[in-house]
C-alpha cells in the first residue's frame, strides 16, 4: 500500500500524522510511505529522520496526496485541500464531520472513503484513537485557563492556587470523561478549588474516591450547571457525544451572569462546542469576549505541544493503520470490528449515523 503523510496546514498546527518509528514499521511490512517535505518539522522530526526510517520525501502536498492510496492526517482537511480528494482515496484522520457540513458534502461528492479517528469505538464505549488527544487537551485546558485568567490577558487576575490567606480559583469542569479527568488532575495539581459535573454517577464516585473528597462532585442538571458556572472563575467544557455535535450546556444568558473576567475553555469546540457562543479560534488569536467573560476555543489545542501529541497519536493509531494498509478497510474490519464505527463516508454516502442526523443527510 502507498501511504501519504502531508504537512498540516491549519493555523499553528505543528503535529504530523506519524513518527519515524511508525514509518519503520510500515516499511518493514512492505508498504511505501511518502512524506511531504518538512511535514514533521513542527514536531522536531526532520526529513532525514523519516528517510532513515525508509520514507520517501516528496516536495509538494499535491504529489504526496496523488501518490497515496491512504492519506494520514491529524486535522480535518480544509477547503484548500478539497481538490485533492478522489474516488480511490482512503483518508484516515480526525474529521469531526458533525460540525462541518462543507467537508462532509465534499467527501461524499468525491466518493472518498473516510475513517475518523474520533469515532472508532471499542465495545466498552471507549474511543481509543481520540483518547490520547483528549488527554493532551484536558491537561492543557487548565494551563490555558490559568494564562487567560491573568489580567493582561483579559481575565479576572486570579492565581489558580492563590497564596496563603487568599482564595484559590474556583474551577468547574463539565464532563468527567477522558478530557475532563485530565483537566481535573491538572487543576487539582495547581491547587484550585475544583468542581466536576457529570450525568454518570458511577464516574463521579470514581473521581470522588480517586481524590478522597478533594474534588467536589455534582450530578449534572440545568440548575446545578447554572449555579456552578455563575460562581466560577474558570469553566472547562469537556462534554463528548461520540461523533455527534456537542450539546449546548452553557447559554449566552448564563454567561451574562458570570463574574467579569471569568474564563471559559471549550475543549469540545471541534464538535461544535458545549457553550452557546463557542466558535473555533486559533493559537494565533485564541480568545474573544462574550459579555464580560473570556472564551478560549482553540480547535487544535494539542497542536501547541506537537512533539508530545504526535508520538501519543502514533502510539494509538499505528495498529489500525497497519490493519487497513495490509488488506484494505473491509478486511481490516474483520480483524478489528471497532473500525466499522470509524467509517464516516463511503461511495458518496454518509455511513455514520450521528453525522447523518447532524446534517439531515
Amino acid at each position: 500500500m502507498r501511504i501519504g503523510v502531508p504537512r498540516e496546514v491549519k493555523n499553528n498546527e505543528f503535529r504530523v500524522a506519524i513518527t519515524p518509528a511508525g514509518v519503520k514499521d510500515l516499511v518493514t511490512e512492505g508498504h511505501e510511505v511518502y512524506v511531504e517535505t518538512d511535514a514533521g518539522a513542527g514536531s522536531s522530526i526532520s526529513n532525514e529522520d523519516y528517510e532513515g526510517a525508509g520514507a520517501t520525501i516528496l516536495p509538494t502536498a499535491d504529489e504526496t496526496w496523488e501518490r497515496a492510496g491512504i492519506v494520514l492526517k491529524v486535522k480535518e482537511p480544509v477547503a484548500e485541500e478539497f481538490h485533492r480528494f478522489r474516488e480511490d482515496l482512503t483518508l484516515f484522520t480526525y474529521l469531526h464531520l458533525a460540525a462541518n457540513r462543507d467537508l462532509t458534502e465534499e467527501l461524499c461528492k468525491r466518493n472518498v472513503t473516510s475513517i475518523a479517528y474520533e469515532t472508532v469505538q471499542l465495545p466498552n464505549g471507549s474511543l481509543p484513537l481520540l483518547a490520547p488527544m483528549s488527554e493532551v487537551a484536558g491537561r492543557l485546558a487548565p494551563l490555558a485557563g490559568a494564562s487567560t485568567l491573568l489580567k493582561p490577558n483579559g481575565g479576572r487576575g486570579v492565581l489558580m492556587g492563590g497564596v496563603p490567606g487568599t482564595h484559590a480559583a474556583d474551577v468547574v469542569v463539565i464532563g468527567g470523561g477522558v478530557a475532563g479527568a485530565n483537566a481535573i488532575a491538572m487543576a487539582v495539581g495547581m491547587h484550585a478549588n475544583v468542581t466536576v459535573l457529570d450525568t454518570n454517577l458511577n464516574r463521579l464516585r470514581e473521581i470522588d474516591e480517586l481524590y478522597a473528597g478533594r474534588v467536589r462532585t455534582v450530578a449534572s442538571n440545568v440548575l446545578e450547571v447554572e449555579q456552578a458556572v455563575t460562581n466560577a472563575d474558570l469553566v472547562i467544557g469537556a462534554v463528548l457525544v461520540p461523533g455527534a455535535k456537542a450539546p449546548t450546556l452553557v447559554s449566552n444568558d448564563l454567561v451574562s451572569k458570570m463574574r467579569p473576567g471569568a474564563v471559559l475553555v471549550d475543549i469540545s469546540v471541534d464538535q461544535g462546542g458545549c457553550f452557546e457562543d463557542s466558535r473555533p479560534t486559533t493559537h494565533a488569536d485564541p480568545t474573544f469576549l462574550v459579555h464580560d467573560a473570556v472564551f478560549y476555543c482553540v480547535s487544535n489545542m494539542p497542536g501547541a505541544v506537537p512533539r508530545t501529541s504526535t508520538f501519543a497519536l502514533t502510539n494509538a493509531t499505528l495498529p489500525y493503520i497497519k490493519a487497513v494498509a495490509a488488506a484494505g478497510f473491509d478486511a481490516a474490519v474483520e480483524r478489528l470490528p471497532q473500525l466499522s464505527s470509524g467509517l464516516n463516508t463511503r461511495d458518496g454516502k454518509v455511513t455514520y449515523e450521528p453525522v447523518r442526523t447532524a446534517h439531515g443527510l
Side-chain angles (χ1 to χ4, degrees):
M1 180 63 72
R2 290 169 289 110
I3 300 166
V5 183
R7 182 173 55 85
E8 297 295 319
V9 297
K10 289 195 78 170
N11 177 278
N12 281 289
E13 181 50 74
F14 301 112
R15 290 173 289 180
V16 64
I18 198 167
T19 62
V23 169
K24 184 71 172 180
D25 274 12
L26 291 168
V27 170
T28 299
E29 294 187 3
H31 306 296
E32 300 173 22
V33 181
Y34 300 96
V35 178
E36 183 183 352
T37 187
D38 294 332
S43 296
S44 301
I45 303 172
S46 68
N47 295 333
E48 291 73 22
D49 291 334
Y50 281 120
E51 287 179 318
T56 299
I57 304 298
L58 296 179
T60 66
D62 284 338
E63 192 171 358
T64 305
W65 283 75
E66 183 181 350
R67 287 210 196 179
I70 299 175
V71 166
L72 305 178
K73 278 179 53 60
V74 179
K75 290 302 293 176
E76 71 280 357
V78 296
E80 68 189 76
E81 298 174 294
F82 289 174
H83 71 278
R84 301 185 181 116
F85 294 169
R86 62 179 194 275
E87 186 170 345
D88 61 342
L89 180 70
T90 296
L91 176 64
F92 205 0
T93 186
Y94 291 113
L95 286 169
H96 304 291
L97 293 184
N100 194 334
R101 186 183 181 96
D102 289 345
L103 176 57
T104 304
E105 291 180 341
E106 283 291 329
L107 291 169
C108 290
K109 183 172 74 175
R110 298 175 187 266
N111 294 320
V112 176
T113 297
S114 67
I115 309 167
Y117 293 149
E118 75 274 7
T119 65
V120 173
Q121 191 166 17
L122 297 175
N124 65 3
S126 63
L127 304 165
L129 306 190
L130 182 61
M133 295 304 97
S134 295
E135 290 168 344
V136 173
R139 295 189 181 203
L140 283 175
L143 300 179
S147 176
T148 308
L149 274 171
L150 301 179
K151 195 67 174 179
N153 295 333
R156 295 193 70 222
V158 174
L159 182 64
M160 285 283 277
V163 294
T166 71
H167 292 285
D170 291 314
V171 177
V172 172
V173 179
I174 305 177
V178 175
N182 281 271
I184 292 166
M186 291 295 287
V188 169
M190 298 168 82
H191 300 285
N193 297 320
V194 182
T195 299
V196 57
L197 297 105
D198 199 291
T199 57
N200 186 333
L201 295 180
N202 287 330
R203 182 65 186 133
L204 294 179
R205 290 188 183 100
E206 292 171 355
I207 293 170
D208 180 71
E209 182 177 357
L210 178 63
Y211 290 99
R214 172 70 178 82
V215 173
R216 182 169 175 253
T217 59
V218 178
S220 184
N221 56 55
V222 173
L223 179 60
E224 292 291 359
V225 169
E226 288 180 353
Q227 291 178 342
V229 169
T230 301
N231 296 314
D233 296 303
L234 169 62
V235 178
I236 296 172
V239 177
L240 174 71
V241 178
K245 191 177 184 307
T248 300
L249 300 179
V250 177
S251 67
N252 177 278
D253 180 64
L254 181 54
V255 172
S256 73
K257 300 173 184 176
M258 296 179 70
R259 298 163 172 168
V263 174
L264 299 96
V265 177
D266 198 342
I267 297 175
S268 60
V269 69
D270 270 335
Q271 292 292 121
C274 61
F275 310 145
E276 182 179 357
D277 294 289
S278 289
R279 56 177 171 80
T281 61
T282 67
H283 288 290
D285 188 16
T287 63
F288 58 92
L289 286 174
V290 176
H291 299 296
D292 292 320
V294 187
F295 276 56
Y296 181 101
C297 298
V298 174
S299 60
N300 61 329
M301 289 176 65
V305 285
R307 188 163 177 89
T308 296
S309 298
T310 290
F311 280 79
L313 181 62
T314 299
N315 291 342
T317 59
L318 188 58
Y320 296 88
I321 294 167
K322 291 165 71 173
V324 174
F329 179 79
D330 292 336
V333 168
E334 292 183 14
R335 177 180 158 197
L336 298 169
Q338 60 267 33
L339 262 173
S340 63
S341 60
L343 189 68
N344 275 217
T345 67
R346 192 178 195 185
D347 298 329
K349 295 182 176 65
V350 174
T351 57
Y352 190 68
E353 178 68 20
V355 174
R356 186 199 68 78
T357 300
H359 301 309
L361 297 173

